[in-house]
Amino acid sequence: MDLNTIWFVLVGVLLTGYAVLDGFDLGTGPLLWCVPDDRDRRILLNAIGPIWNGNEVWLVTGGGALFAAFPNVYASVFSGFYDAFMLLLFALIFRAAAIEFRSQRPGRRWRRFWDAAFAVSSVTSALLIGVAVGNLVWGISLDATGNFDGGLIALLHPYALLVGLTTVALMVMHGNLYLILKTEGELQERLREWAQRTVPAYLACFLVLNVTTVLTCLHLREVLVQRMPYLSLLMAASILITLGIPRALRRGREGSAFLASCLSIVSLMLLFGATMYPNLVISRPDAANSLNIHNGAATAKSLNFMFYVALVGVPIVLAYTASIYYVFRGKVVLTEESY
């Protein structure tokens, strides 16, 4: 495996870690808005309170790795998706402000405002992340220098919006399953009832998205044919894992259901990477302008140096994440220091 491929895998691992860990943070937003009692809302906020900012470290490191290893791709994607990424940045900032400011005053209107802000910014963040992924799969119009000549409206086509909607449904289900593990009593029972709706909603979106991708993304047909054995196995594994979520819930194995949800996200990212490789940005309609792990990469000397930096940095991120989850394991208990 050459260095370019290693960095393709490494960037994918970091972004997959972000999707798994920050996914339930984003899914908590709309669920919080559906809870009427202020004490229950505080429990949901404190379920993610100690870990949400640490989860976003994975997005920062993933973006940093993309910038360092594939600067041409970073430049094309971040300039072409500038408006969408600015909206995503504002949503993430507004979401963080909502978590921090909500508990600064006891007033009902004050808290309801920040709860609404948290819900809207969480849904917006998940939708925009899905739209970005949808455009990478669908392909964007790149010129010979790798520049995207469209705007925000051009990115909001039906397929990208379908991926965005599926991402929102996935995050809400993921958050629902996580919150069941962190709560108890009536609130936990309510979350269990909601899972009877959030899980089927995601499964429906998952099915529609996969069928639509096969039928409409004709530029991927050659890849699908060439890699049929591997992609078929990945797709079968993804379907089995995803169908394992409602089966685990029916058996009362909520920890297994959440684990299956995590693995479902991992399998989707694997499918995405296996289908895209070696491309990072597909140019459509002129495929010759696509950016891949070779024409979009930094020099071999830079990739080699950063590889050793990653050997030190990635274990630190893993150790930090594992320690935070270990310290704040178990059910949520409200204290004076809680949100």
Side-chain angles (χ1 to χ4, degrees), residues 172-191:
V172 172
M173 178 197 71
H174 197 43
N176 195 164
L177 297 175
Y178 172 76
L179 293 173
I180 289 174
L181 300 178
K182 299 294 290 184
T183 56
E184 51 192 350
E186 293 183 5
L187 179 57
Q188 188 184 46
E189 287 303 317
R190 181 180 294 133
L191 289 164

Side-chain angles (χ1 to χ4, degrees), residues 15-42:
L15 295 180
T16 300
Y18 171 74
V20 171
L21 296 176
D22 209 38
F24 56 77
D25 284 0
L26 297 174
T28 301
L31 295 174
L32 178 90
W33 180 250
C34 296
V35 175
D37 184 69
D38 184 68
R39 184 179 181 279
D40 288 343
R41 291 188 175 198
R42 290 184 63 207

Side-chain angles (χ1 to χ4, degrees), residues 38-92:
D38 184 68
R39 184 179 181 279
D40 288 343
R41 291 188 175 198
R42 290 184 63 207
I43 290 175
L44 297 193
L45 271 181
N46 282 278
I48 63 169
I51 53 177
W52 69 269
N53 50 359
N55 292 340
E56 293 188 350
V57 168
W58 289 77
L59 179 62
V60 175
T61 53
L66 182 67
F67 169 73
F70 303 105
N72 295 336
V73 175
Y74 183 91
S76 293
V77 171
F78 276 75
S79 60
F81 294 1
Y82 182 80
D83 293 337
F85 280 143
M86 286 305 295
L87 284 175
L88 174 60
L89 182 61
F90 281 126
L92 291 175

